[in-house]
Amino acid sequence: MITLASDFGSPYPAAMKGVLLQRTNTRLVDITHDLPRQDVRSAAFWLRETLPYFPPATHLVVVDPGVGTDRSALVLQAGDHTLVGPDNGVLYPPARRLAGTEPIEAYVIDEQQLDAPTASTAAGRSGSGSNTFHGRDVFAPAAAAVHDATTPADLAILARAETTVDLRLPTPTVEGDRVHGAVLVVDDFGNVITNVAGSYLDGRETIVVNGDPVPVGATFAAVETGAQVAIVGSHGFVELDVNHGRGDEAFGLTAGDSVVFEPAESTE
Amino acid sequence: MITLASDFGSPYPAAMKGVLLQRTNTRLVDITHDLPRQDVRSAAFWLRETLPYFPPATHLVVVDPGVGTDRSALVLQAGDHTLVGPDNGVLYPPARRLAGTEPIEAYVIDEQQLDAPTASTAAGRSGSGSNTFHGRDVFAPAAAAVHDATTPADLAILARAETTVDLRLPTPTVEGDRVHGAVLVVDDFGNVITNVAGSYLDGRETIVVNGDPVPVGATFAAVETGAQVAIVGSHGFVELDVNHGRGDEAFGLTAGDSVVFEPAESTE
Amino acid sequence: MITLASDFGSPYPAAMKGVLLQRTNTRLVDITHDLPRQDVRSAAFWLRETLPYFPPATHLVVVDPGVGTDRSALVLQAGDHTLVGPDNGVLYPPARRLAGTEPIEAYVIDEQQLDAPTASTAAGRSGSGSNTFHGRDVFAPAAAAVHDATTPADLAILARAETTVDLRLPTPTVEGDRVHGAVLVVDDFGNVITNVAGSYLDGRETIVVNGDPVPVGATFAAVETGAQVAIVGSHGFVELDVNHGRGDEAFGLTAGDSVVFEPAESTE
């Protein structure tokens, strides 16, 4: 199984699928091609929270603002899963989750040794690959090769990586019963997903969010339509939502913003 | 075969696919994940008009504004098809179409007995499921179990439902040669799809729609670019369209609105 | 393998998939259903640049502003690939690329002989097909039949086409070291894709685009964030882009517009 995730929208993902299907007969599964554009951190979050639900697979990830520069192309072996994508950190948060207690092995793709795809055209394009579409010309061929190999270490196109770009999503800092956290992402529904563990809400009926009191609920429907609510979201973090509305607009928050949570008592 | 339909947009559907693929090797087919948000009636319409074109399958449907409340999770057996989703009525209009003359059998999913999915993480989440993402934590595991069972009645996770929420899409009322109908949905093209049977247009060159005359055509191209036209749409109902334009804007109509159709003669 | 491409958005493609899966068990691959609406030329470009990356397949293409008129429904045999879609020219640019040096064979689909799909409903619709959704009622059944046939010529539903609508994407005209070209499409990122071969940029550090100088780069990152750049895009043509921004807005260009490229020297 090969999964595909990118910020390409439409129709670029199709060429990646064609290249994969020229080389392998395995199942292809779209994660999404609507990751926030060129936003490595949001992509890392969504993949960290999504890929662990999959059985062992090769995960092709292309969120690549540095395409065409000298950034490397990577393969990470993480437990039973393999990730293929750019060396900008996006692979590491999901790889750590997938690897569990095992070490992550990192390989650099030798683009010169890669069998670059060519469109089946008599007019004939060079086939030497583009500077702007490595999803098609580098990562898809590498993913097909990795998928069909017993282990990445066997592939001539791969060499052990010496240094790679890591990325760690921010973690909150606790100061007594106050927590200084951050908004990791806003989802399509407008739900504001923070990095504060959901257990902060345990036993609380109200919390103070950036100075304003917000009721705590088990789910959106705990409050009236249009009202704000803090819940434990489906990723286990505190989410700031609006029942049948957009939390990002109601709270005035977007990805990367700081949030301070305090117990309701402390404002009395 | 398992089909998936939701109002999730991106990237939440991917976690449902991961959970399914952990449990079954069957073909997955996306119906759409862009159903109108939390709009049970529109979802029921689109599924009623789409699912009957499929071969026998398990249909996973998640349009679920009551997620996290005490609404039940259902399995409906409808002829050779099985539907899995929330007990808010969304499953019934497609189930009636799929069942034909056979009775629909309804089962409640016992969420406590369900083998809840866990992400493969060393950090370890509880695995007890969320309050807000039952597509991943309840409906996908249930759909996988139902798909692999010979019959829903054999599954320990299911119990016969005593009462369930039904939903019936509105039907028009006829008053002589006038019809009082409703807009069921507006599609992505802006076509206004009513609940009035297309046969109303038989032998008519013009009809009066909410007081204004509109030409009847066999297809959009029967009128000039930008002009209004009433046609028999692809679902067999009267549609109010604009050739190469948006009918909803030209007619000032949206889902749920009333429409009155009269013969052109009656206004002379 | 059957690929699907359309401008349908959501949820209409699902009914096409259902019809296909009623008739064949082959792999279905979505190219995209977000082709620019009713824009035959843009669709032809994207398919010409995407389909050649696929292994031999049946390609179902529905961008069909003339649906319901007397335009024919076509099957084109192009090398090892088969294309199915409306007779409005959209199939020819990809077919020529797929056929290479081989001739393209064109067949007309006899809609009367086609086994039209019926939804599995007791209420019973006519099953005679719609005037507005030939993707479901004509092209999908034809694609399934063609896919499972040894050769299109064997199918009773097909007859040799006598005349068909061709479409040729515009090519630039060269006048000394000036090139008069056109914008073929703008992609989702806002990149302006012209029809001028990328080799025009060879050895140039700057070109003049419609009178204004623009730096030439190997990739977006050759210039600062927000700056304009001319690059060789992933299709081998000159693209007018903005690093981490939208080229169409910065250059004021959209699909179909003229572009004149001159060497930077000529303006000194």
Side-chain angles (χ1 to χ4, degrees), chain A residues 36-217:
Chain A
R37 280 279 156 82
Q38 304 191 324
D39 178 346
V40 170
R41 202 169 82 154
S42 291
F45 170 80
W46 285 116
L47 295 169
R48 184 185 77 179
E49 300 300 328
T50 303
L51 299 186
Y53 287 97
F54 279 77
T58 300
H59 303 290
L60 171 54
V61 176
V62 195
V63 176
D64 191 14
V67 62
T69 66
D70 60 358
R71 70 100 189 84
S72 297
L74 290 187
V75 171
L76 298 189
Q77 185 70 35
D80 294 332
H81 294 255
T82 312
L83 298 101
V84 180
D87 183 21
N88 60 20
V90 69
L91 302 181
Y92 274 98
R96 274 191 290 270
R97 195 63 73 84
L98 293 167
T101 56
E102 294 183 52
I104 295 170
E105 294 171 14
Y107 303 86
V108 173
I109 299 169
D110 182 345
E111 300 179 27
Q112 302 306 317
Q113 290 211 39
L114 207 59
D115 179 23
T118 49
S120 60
T121 160
R125 293 230 297 273
S126 72
S128 63
S130 67
N131 285 325
T132 55
F133 194 2
H134 284 194
R136 180 190 69 192
D137 297 335
V138 175
F139 299 118
V146 165
H147 179 270
D148 289 346
T150 312
T151 165
D154 289 347
L155 286 173
I157 59 164
L158 297 183
R160 286 278 180 171
E162 301 193 355
T163 59
T164 58
V165 176
D166 197 359
L167 171 70
R168 290 186 180 269
L169 298 179
T171 50
T173 57
V174 180
E175 186 187 303
D177 50 10
R178 298 175 81 199
V179 178
H180 295 256
V183 177
L184 292 177
V185 296
V186 173
D187 72 13
D188 269 15
F189 290 81
N191 298 321
V192 175
I193 303 174
T194 77
N195 62 352
V196 178
S199 56
Y200 186 77
L201 302 184
D202 285 354
R204 294 190 159 129
E205 292 184 1
T206 307
I207 62 169
V208 173
V209 177
N210 292 349
D212 294 318
V214 176
V216 172

Side-chain angles (χ1 to χ4, degrees), chain C residues 108 110 113 152-159:
Chain C
V108 173
D110 181 346
Q113 290 212 38
D154 289 347
L155 287 172
I157 59 165
L158 298 184

Side-chain angles (χ1 to χ4, degrees), chain B residues 27 32 53 97 187 219 234, chain C residues 10 12 25-26 67 125 136:
Chain B
R27 186 198 288 261
T32 179
Y53 286 97
R97 195 64 71 84
D187 72 13
T219 185
S234 63
Chain C
S10 158
Y12 290 108
N25 197 34
T26 195
V67 62
R125 292 229 296 272
R136 180 191 71 193

